[in-house]
Amino acid sequence: MSIRSDSPGASELSSQEQLESYGYKQELKRSVSTVDLLIYGLIFMVPIAPWAIFGTVYNASAGMVPLVYIIGLVAMIFTALAYAQMAKSIPLAGSVFSYVGRGINPTFGFFAGWAILLDYLLVPTLLYVFAAESMIGIFPGSARWIWALIFVAINTVVNLLGISSLKLLNRIFLAIEVVFIVIFVIIAVIALNNGTIPGAEFTTASVWDSSKVTGPLIASALSIAVLSFLGFDGISTLAEESTGRRNSAGKAMIIALFIVAFFFVLETWLASALAAGRQSFPDNEVGNAFFNLVRDASNSGWATAFFVVNVLAVGIANAMAAQAATSRLLYSMSRDRQLPKFLSKINSRQVPQAAILTVSALSAILVLFFVGQIDVISSLVNFGALFGFMLLHVSVIVHYIVRKKSKNYLLHLVVPVVGFLIIGYVLLNANAAAKIGGIVWLVVGLGVYLYYRWSGRKTPTLGEENNEFVPATGERGEL
């Protein structure tokens, strides 16, 4: 039986009925509210993310760091809207793998999933490497790999305990980060009012300085900014664990993007003011520029506290969310027989245990290989995410304009076209290592794809399932 948009009560389908309409059983635990999704997305993007890279972004943007994040919000909102449209029509875990696979066809879906898998598999590793580097600053002389493995173990235990444990820790860490953002605002405002740092004052020059803004600078800022917001898409991987109404994941993505952008702009505007108009930070200060400004505006005790919170936010909170997202992507691809079957195994707490352990094992191995090579792993992460985003935009056009004959040209044509061009520009200007590494990964994926085709495995496209589900308002484009 097909459930179409003109069927009475089609929009009233429960979350489980929506899932079963695609031929799947409800295996993951549905206990994640829309608020939980929002918190998860914020943790994934890290509200205090600018702290660690403030000096680098300051030097690259001629001191206009807030402008970088404003540009990033404008650029990424197109991708967030595309995600929201596909999440509404295809309420499955698996992120772009599910959306592109059913929005275009299984072949494109596999490569979208395979590309973003490069992002999702390496993000936890990148975060562990970041956190390990920071721990060396707290405990000089200790081994980086030991710290990285400690973080891997902590996050694995939390994820195996179930979604309830993840929700609880997400709330705790978000509260800590917000408290420290408030503390920083207080420290900065007092310092700026009292003249604690010579030359530091409230100014809008860091948001827009017409004498410094140029085309190349905006283009460079765009690349930095887009990459700073990666992570909001992780919300889509929890779609099958959501208790909210249809498209709660899409709404959470957009709201999270705006909230985290507000935090980014506020923090960097005040930090830029504390920088007192300097041209740039020297190489030996750029990595800890933000923490040094906190020290200058208050004292070394506060600077250390901010440093510790940053390490915990990256090594535990952010990495924990990334591991959860990666395990759901592996689970979804395995369930559709595009990866080994054991990855779809669920434990008694209704979490993908085999996928979680696999992510942990890979992270532990990759950490040992990539310790001290942050630039290399960062470039590979970026390629995977951006390539997957480009296919996502294409899927919106094919799914809505071509198949559903939607007349909402703004959301279903203009938005994905603009989003595709923005992401394409950033990907085109990525460094050579990212392109080479990404192409090699896609070639490996081609081998995997051909193997599964040869073995007769195929993912059904939308409408091929026994029970087709088409949302009641699927063509109107509401958020």
Side-chain angles (χ1 to χ4, degrees):
M1 179 183 69
S2 290
I3 303 175
R4 295 193 172 275
S5 58
D6 54 356
S7 301
S11 61
E12 302 302 322
L13 285 176
S14 68
S15 299
Q16 183 169 333
E17 288 172 332
Q18 290 181 18
L19 179 63
E20 290 174 349
S21 69
Y22 284 96
Y24 299 121
K25 293 189 300 181
Q26 180 65 55
E27 295 182 302
L28 302 176
K29 184 178 181 180
R30 283 201 181 273
S31 62
V32 182
S33 68
T34 302
V35 172
D36 291 324
L37 289 174
L38 177 59
I39 293 172
Y40 175 79
L42 291 173
I43 285 293
F44 210 146
M45 286 187 283
V46 191
I48 61 174
W51 295 4
I53 60 173
F54 176 77
T56 302
V57 181
Y58 186 96
N59 290 356
S61 63
M64 292 179 287
V65 186
L67 177 62
V68 168
Y69 289 109
I70 292 172
I71 291 173
L73 173 63
V74 174
M76 291 311 294
I77 196 62
F78 292 96
T79 299
L81 286 170
Y83 261 107
Q85 291 304 299
M86 296 308 289
K88 175 181 60 181
S89 190
I90 303 172
L92 301 175
S95 188
V96 295
F97 167 69
S98 296
Y99 302 153
V100 176
R102 287 164 174 77
I104 305 178
N105 66 45
T107 299
F108 280 91
F110 173 84
F111 283 100
W114 184 261
I116 211 161
L117 190 58
L118 179 63
D119 168 20
Y120 281 15
L121 283 177
L122 291 182
V123 160
T125 304
L126 176 63
L127 296 173
Y128 295 134
V129 171
F130 263 128
E133 289 290 340
S134 297
M135 291 303 290
I136 299 302
I138 301 175
F139 301 99
S142 57
R144 291 175 175 82
W145 66 271
I146 291 179
W147 289 114
L149 293 182
I150 289 174
F151 286 126
V152 171
I154 292 172
N155 291 323
T156 300
V157 171
V158 172
N159 272 293
L160 286 175
L161 286 175
I163 197 69
S164 297
S165 299
L166 182 65
K167 289 192 303 180
L168 175 61
L169 284 183
N170 280 344
R171 289 173 182 265
I172 292 172
F173 276 106
L174 181 61
I176 293 173
E177 291 181 45
V178 171
V179 166
F180 268 80
I181 290 174
V182 172
I183 292 173
F184 172 67
V185 170
I186 294 172
I187 288 173
V189 170
I190 291 175
L192 291 169
N193 281 328
N194 295 342
T196 305
I197 300 177
E201 60 181 359
F202 290 104
T203 176
T204 59
S206 60
V207 179
W208 182 270
D209 186 342
S210 58
S211 65
K212 295 180 180 179
V213 173
T214 63
L217 184 143
I218 293 295
S220 174
L222 177 63
S223 298
I224 297 171
V226 167
L227 303 179
S228 298
F229 286 97
L230 293 184
F232 73 90
D233 54 297
I235 293 175
S236 65
T237 64
L238 300 185
E240 291 179 27
E241 291 159 89
S242 170
T243 59
R245 298 177 65 85
R246 181 171 51 83
N247 204 30
S248 57
K251 292 176 181 177
M253 278 187 269
I254 294 173
I255 295 172
L257 199 59
F258 276 99
I259 291 176
V260 83
F262 169 77
F263 285 137
F264 287 174
V265 172
L266 176 63
E267 295 167 72
T268 56
W269 174 59
L270 291 172
S272 298
L274 293 175
R278 71 180 72 195
Q279 293 299 310
S280 63
F281 291 95
D283 291 342
N284 63 337
E285 294 182 19
V286 68
N288 291 316
F290 177 87
F291 306 103
N292 290 338
L293 289 174
V294 172
R295 180 198 61 204
D296 295 341
S298 55
N299 56 61
S300 58
W302 275 118
T304 301
F306 274 75
F307 191 75
V308 171
V309 169
N310 183 70
V311 173
L312 294 177
V314 172
I316 296 182
N318 192 6
M320 185 169 56
Q323 187 185 60
T326 307
S327 65
R328 270 60 175 183
L329 176 59
L330 292 176
Y331 163 80
S332 183
M333 294 183 73
S334 171
R335 180 179 62 182
D336 280 353
R337 299 180 297 170
Q338 302 301 294
L339 286 178
K341 184 179 180 180
F342 79 93
L343 291 172
S344 58
K345 179 178 176 58
I346 302 296
N347 70 6
S348 60
R349 295 180 181 271
Q350 292 180 273
V351 294
Q353 175 175 305
I356 290 172
L357 292 175
T358 298
V359 174
S360 300
L362 288 173
S363 295
I365 295 171
L366 292 171
V367 156
L368 300 178
F369 181 76
F370 281 112
V371 163
Q373 301 185 60
I374 291 176
D375 290 343
V376 175
I377 194 171
S378 295
S379 64
L380 293 174
V381 165
N382 297 337
F383 180 94
L386 295 175
F387 188 87
F389 289 171
M390 289 180 69
L391 289 179
L392 171 74
H393 286 295
V394 175
S395 72
V396 173
I397 297 173
V398 174
H399 182 65
Y400 281 100
I401 299 296
V402 177
R403 289 185 175 168
K404 291 192 167 191
K405 310 300 179 184
S406 170
K407 301 302 180 183
N408 189 334
Y409 296 116
L410 176 60
L411 277 178
H412 300 152
L413 183 60
V414 175
V415 166
V417 167
V418 174
F420 181 91
L421 293 175
I422 290 173
I423 300 302
Y425 173 83
V426 176
L427 188 58
L428 184 65
N429 288 277
N431 63 44
K435 295 175 184 175
I436 294 173
I439 290 173
V440 170
W441 177 254
L442 290 177
V443 170
V444 173
L446 177 61
V448 175
Y449 172 78
L450 291 176
Y451 166 76
Y452 280 114
R453 292 292 291 182
W454 173 77
S455 64
R457 305 185 192 187
K458 179 185 176 184
T459 303
T461 55
L462 183 63
E464 289 182 1
E465 292 87 352
N466 292 331
N467 295 304
E468 181 183 24
F469 169 69
V470 182
T473 54
E475 297 184 8
R476 294 209 298 269
E478 302 94 349
L479 298 180

